[in-house]
Amino acid sequence: MRPEKTSLFETLEARLAVADLVSVNGRVVQVVGLVIESQGPDVKVGDLCEIRFRRRSAALKAEVVGFRGDRVLLMPLGDLQDIGPGCDVVSLGRSLSVPVGEGLLGRVLDGLGRPLDDKGPLLVTRSYPLYASPPHPLRRRAIKEPLSVGVKAVDGLLTLGQGQRIGIFAGSGVGKSTLLGMMARSTEADVNVIGLVGERGREVREFIERDLGAEGLKRSVLVVATSDQPPLVRLKAAMTTTAIAEYFRDQGSNVLLMMDSVTRVAMAQRDVGLAVGEPPATRGYTPSVFALLPRLLERAGTGEQGSITGVYTVLVEGDDMNEPIADSVRGILDGHVVLSRHLAARNQYPSIDVLNSVSRVMNSIVTAEHLEAAGRLRQLLSYYAEGEDLIRIGAYRQGSDPRIDWALAHLEKVRSFLIQNVEEAFTFEETVRRLTSLIPKPQGLGA
């Protein structure tokens, strides 16, 4: 017997039985510090909500960051002012995303990807999620090509590869932002994506006009979240920066991603974790901080097409290179550049401590001649370091140690090579040529 067809009425009745016909909102019941607690709505961690005020039409966006019993914990993406008990909490049914496209070039955005530069709306039609998985480890292309950044000390002695991730470790006031600006202006990368997280408001315009310049801005996208912004916005700024870089990588571009600084991203995550009741661990940092760092930093690198070369600054507390964030980040990245306060005090800029810095991929991407010349310069600096104390107090006599004599004979040429004016830029070929002809091979020296 042939079965009867389901009628249109029965089909509609079945759909109505499972449809969510009523939108159930939540209500604010408590605000403690940075956390808003609400009764409902039905949401999951990472969902975006709107908190609607009773006396005005404006609304505040907030993100679900956890749960406590039957209450939803939200953190605001703006100012908590005017929030009170009974405010409606409406789920938007989605998580945060960022607009992406070629129209972002030359623009300055806030931590949530909104225009900050008064140049009108963004002329883009696509969006990318703020949270994404890193490229599959077996689908990452090997790093084989160097990426020039126009800085002699970096290109010559700490050569970056396309898709490498490296950290710039330094205390405050030793030239991190200036070095980033030099690299952004002179790099051979197709696109710069720069995140300024937790910076002073005064420094943002200075970085754009003084360090980056008009030419650098044309092929750059800046994401800015100043220190006065809520911690969740500062945290999202790092995700926004990375998502924009991922878009350009997916289009086949070689991207230079710069983030200043990872330390302030970690501090923002610490503030979020402590606010929702997470226990502090190492030096007050919560466990979620150390879980976040690899998830964020591993998103850079090579993909199936294109690459993201990541340069992350790490603000070390009290010039302690072994403090928790510095130690954790150093273990994740593919190299580190240490800036020395001692060299900065001697007016040697960029103040790169060559002996304590390393690029873990340099050996695989440069010629044998280049590698030998870089090793020779490091050797000279190490010989000088051995006798520096005696030299400074005038106790060293020439001829006492042939290695130190050789180092002293060529030291000024080496220092001249390492010093570079902010406005100068050198091609990779020119840097290698200068380096290979800088110091003659030592003759008859012991190890």
Side-chain angles (χ1 to χ4, degrees):
M1 183 176 178
R2 187 178 180 183
E4 295 182 5
K5 293 183 177 179
T6 304
S7 68
L8 176 61
F9 178 79
E10 291 173 328
T11 302
L12 292 174
E13 186 180 34
R15 290 182 179 178
L16 287 172
V18 297
D20 186 8
L21 301 180
V22 179
S23 176
V24 180
N25 297 341
R27 288 192 180 276
V28 173
V29 294
Q30 185 170 298
V31 177
V32 179
L34 301 173
V35 178
I36 303 163
E37 297 186 18
S38 74
Q39 200 77 41
D42 184 13
V43 288
K44 60 183 183 296
V45 172
D47 278 359
L48 195 60
C49 295
E50 268 189 356
I51 300 174
R52 296 176 180 171
F53 306 110
R54 288 183 168 183
R55 295 183 178 86
R56 52 194 180 95
S57 59
L60 172 68
K61 285 187 170 59
E63 186 181 69
V64 179
V65 294
F67 303 93
R68 184 177 293 129
D70 61 348
R71 292 186 178 182
V72 179
L73 306 182
L74 305 108
M75 290 201 74
L77 297 168
D79 197 342
L80 278 169
Q81 189 176 359
D82 293 336
I83 291 179
C87 287
D88 285 336
V89 181
V90 182
S91 172
L92 299 182
R94 59 182 175 85
S95 56
L96 282 167
S97 60
V98 58
V100 293
E102 297 294 327
L104 294 182
L105 293 174
R107 300 301 301 268
V108 182
L109 314 177
D110 69 6
L112 303 178
R114 300 171 299 198
L116 197 64
D117 53 11
D118 299 324
K119 292 183 179 178
L122 301 175
L123 303 178
V124 296
T125 57
R126 297 184 59 184
S127 63
Y128 259 41
L130 258 63
Y131 294 93
S133 299
H136 191 284
L138 298 183
R139 294 176 191 155
R140 290 180 184 260
R141 291 176 295 107
I143 299 173
K144 297 180 179 179
E145 298 293 328
L147 177 70
S148 175
V149 293
V151 179
K152 289 181 294 180
V154 176
D155 285 348
L157 305 169
L158 304 162
T159 311
L160 299 182
Q162 292 180 7
Q164 183 180 357
R165 299 157 307 147
I166 198 164
I168 298 177
F169 293 71
S172 57
V174 293
K176 294 187 303 299
S177 297
T178 302
L179 179 57
L180 288 183
M182 292 171 68
M183 296 168 72
R185 283 198 308 272
S186 307
T187 181
E188 291 179 349
D190 302 317
V191 178
N192 300 318
V193 182
I194 304 170
L196 303 179
V197 182
E199 287 289 325
R200 304 175 186 89
R202 172 186 62 82
E203 292 179 331
V204 174
R205 187 165 182 176
E206 287 183 2
F207 177 82
I208 295 171
E209 295 180 356
R210 183 192 63 195
D211 298 329
L212 186 60
E215 289 302 314
L217 182 60
K218 285 181 182 178
R219 56 187 179 124
S220 302
V221 184
L222 263 76
V223 178
V224 176
T226 51
S227 57
D228 61 298
Q229 295 289 304
L232 196 60
V233 174
R234 284 180 269 135
L235 183 59
K236 298 307 176 189
M239 305 302 173
T240 297
T241 305
T242 306
I244 293 171
E246 287 171 331
Y247 163 77
F248 284 107
R249 177 180 62 189
D250 292 347
Q251 307 310 303
S253 298
N254 290 319
V255 183
L256 181 60
L257 165 64
M258 300 180 175
M259 192 173 295
D260 186 13
S261 69
V262 171
T263 306
R264 293 192 178 108
V265 176
M267 289 177 175
Q269 177 62 42
R270 178 185 63 186
D271 291 345
V272 172
L274 292 173
V276 299
E278 194 179 359
T282 309
R283 287 202 192 177
Y285 287 101
T286 58
S288 63
V289 172
F290 301 99
L292 168 75
L293 290 174
R295 291 203 310 270
L296 174 64
L297 302 177
E298 284 287 347
R299 289 170 65 179
T302 56
E304 295 183 54
Q305 57 179 355
S307 67
I308 299 175
T309 304
V311 179
Y312 302 90
T313 68
V314 181
L315 182 62
V316 294
E317 298 179 6
D319 292 338
D320 178 11
M321 297 297 168
N322 295 313
E323 58 94 19
I325 299 304
D327 195 47
S328 180
V329 170
R330 189 166 50 242
I332 298 168
L333 298 179
D334 307 316
H336 51 274
V337 177
V338 176
L339 300 188
S340 163
R341 191 174 299 280
H342 172 67
L343 294 177
R346 285 197 333 210
N347 202 34
Q348 178 177 318
Y349 289 101
S351 54
I352 297 174
D353 184 346
V354 174
L355 295 179
N356 287 311
S357 304
V358 67
S359 168
R360 293 179 183 169
V361 305
M362 181 177 174
N363 291 5
S364 305
I365 59 175
V366 301
T367 65
E369 183 185 21
H370 181 172
L371 198 60
E372 182 186 1
R376 197 156 59 240
L377 189 147
R378 285 178 174 273
Q379 191 177 43
L380 184 147
L381 290 175
S382 69
Y383 288 162
Y384 175 75
E386 288 178 14
E388 185 173 14
D389 290 341
L390 292 176
I391 294 167
R392 284 183 176 278
I393 64 173
Y396 178 76
R397 292 185 178 181
Q398 190 169 1
S400 302
D401 189 330
R403 300 176 303 173
I404 297 177
D405 292 342
W406 173 70
L408 286 172
H410 303 286
L411 184 63
E412 288 309 313
K413 289 192 295 183
V414 168
R415 284 180 174 168
S416 178
F417 176 82
L418 296 176
I419 293 173
Q420 184 170 331
N421 190 281
V422 172
E423 303 300 327
E424 290 181 309
F426 296 85
T427 65
F428 189 76
E429 293 74 17
E430 185 179 3
T431 295
V432 173
R433 179 180 57 77
R434 288 185 178 219
L435 177 63
T436 52
S437 62
L438 186 66
I439 311 168
K441 294 182 181 179
Q443 300 295 326
L445 297 184

